[in-house]
Amino acid sequence: MRFERSHARGTAFVAVAGSLVLLAAACGSGDNGSSSGGSSSTGALDGRGPITFATGKDTSGFLPKQLAAWNAAHPNEKVELKELPEDADAQRQQMVQNAQAKSDAFTVLNMDVVWTSEFAANQWITQIPEDKVPDLGKLIPATVETAKYRDKLYGVPITSDGGLLYYRTDLLTKAGIAAPPKTWDEMLADCQKVATLPEAKGMSCYSGQFEKYEGLTVNFSEAINSAGGDIVDKDGKPNVNTPEAKAGLEELVNGFKTGAIPKAAITYKEEESRRAFQDGKLLFLRNWPYVYSLANKTDGSSKVAGKFAVAPLPGKTGPGVSSLGGHDYAINSFAKNKATAIDFINFMASEARQKANIEATSQAPTWASLYDDPTLQKQFPYLAPLKASILGAKPRPKVVKYGDVTAAIQAAAYDALNGTVAPDKALSDLQTKLQSLITN
Ligand code: GLC
């Protein structure tokens, strides 16, 4: 491998020629609730019969089994899967187009947690009276918050998500490293040690997701939050033109410059980065919990099964901060059969379905007690770091113009990572742009 010597100076890592270090970061943003749109629509949850379920591509292969369980018990109210693309922005685009056309093609929407304000303010999704969701009090409160707009519920959290640092236990052990890194500098140092092993040939140090899409907003936010900065402050005001934000962004920029992050990572979304880790090309990977189950498959699809573990994301001076991810199921305002829709959502939110889902897919449940189940903890050692990641996570900006906000963040981050715009200019321009978009 080509983790050569480098000298970490200041906040950065230093250069190396082939591949080298970098780290993950943490994220954050405060919550703010800008607004637009008028009163919230409470469509009555009436009508029974067939429904559809629109969701991003199912990378687990397990979703059809969950839907089959519902369909077997509800022959007159069957759900049909409408699979959308893998990337979050492309999913949002299709859902927005359907909503603008007032289409009833999608009944239940599997919504990224960051879309709630926009969809609710535009009355594209139906307000759900809390008493229609019997298990709501059993779900992690931060996940329930993601489904609210102006204190009203518009969805039910079915999966949460917290960033994790996947690392190669075999190589760290062989290099004499006893514990995973807690900071970016430690991660860099670990990469340098591992680089001396013959097994490290051709490997890079680290990757996250750096293609220009929602995942870049996540990785950028995590880098900034893990350096003590914010995207928006506690009052919801944009706050990216700060030394902390600059330090966080520079960690990523320097990672690309030094080769700690491989060049190809500028094209990575979740799946590309997972494949790179599974192919043995990365020592460290920032990704979501779903990777745990797939990277451990022993059917030949993963070269690292049994050779990795997970830890909290690293930060500048200690553990980093994840961006809060996850998905809420919502009901399209223009759909028919909303009584069936809410029953289906409650079925998928149930402890039994969430347990089946984590067992098959390692996706993060929203049902709090599952994290403390001793059998699951034994079976899934990532549950403790995952719970910590989710409880310590920061939400991305909670704003009606989220689509514009994330596009601005993605553009600024992408230009900085590509080296076309200096980090401080990218951040000061982004600050101006965010101030025009977030006006509450
Ligand atoms: C995951 C997260 C989601 C996030 C997306 C970014 O699906 O659950 O919240 O926006 O990744 O790619």
Side-chain angles (χ1 to χ4, degrees), residues 112-113 161 213-215 218 270 288 325-327 396:
D112 196 313
V113 290
D161 245 348
Y213 79 116
E214 186 60 32
V218 167
E270 280 81 4
W288 306 107
H327 288 83
R396 281 159 275 168

Side-chain angles (χ1 to χ4, degrees), residues 86-89 91 111-115 159-162 209 213-216 218-219 269-270 286-288 290 323-327 396 402:
E86 218 170 83
D87 116 51
D89 304 62
Q91 295 159 23
M111 303 236 315
D112 196 313
V113 290
V114 284
W115 303 335
T159 53
S160 188
D161 245 348
Q209 295 75 44
Y213 79 116
E214 186 60 32
L216 180 54
V218 167
N219 282 259
K269 301 186 292 301
E270 280 81 4
R286 177 261 172 242
N287 212 324
W288 306 107
Y290 85 97
S323 193
L324 182 63
H327 288 83
R396 281 159 275 168
Y402 187 78

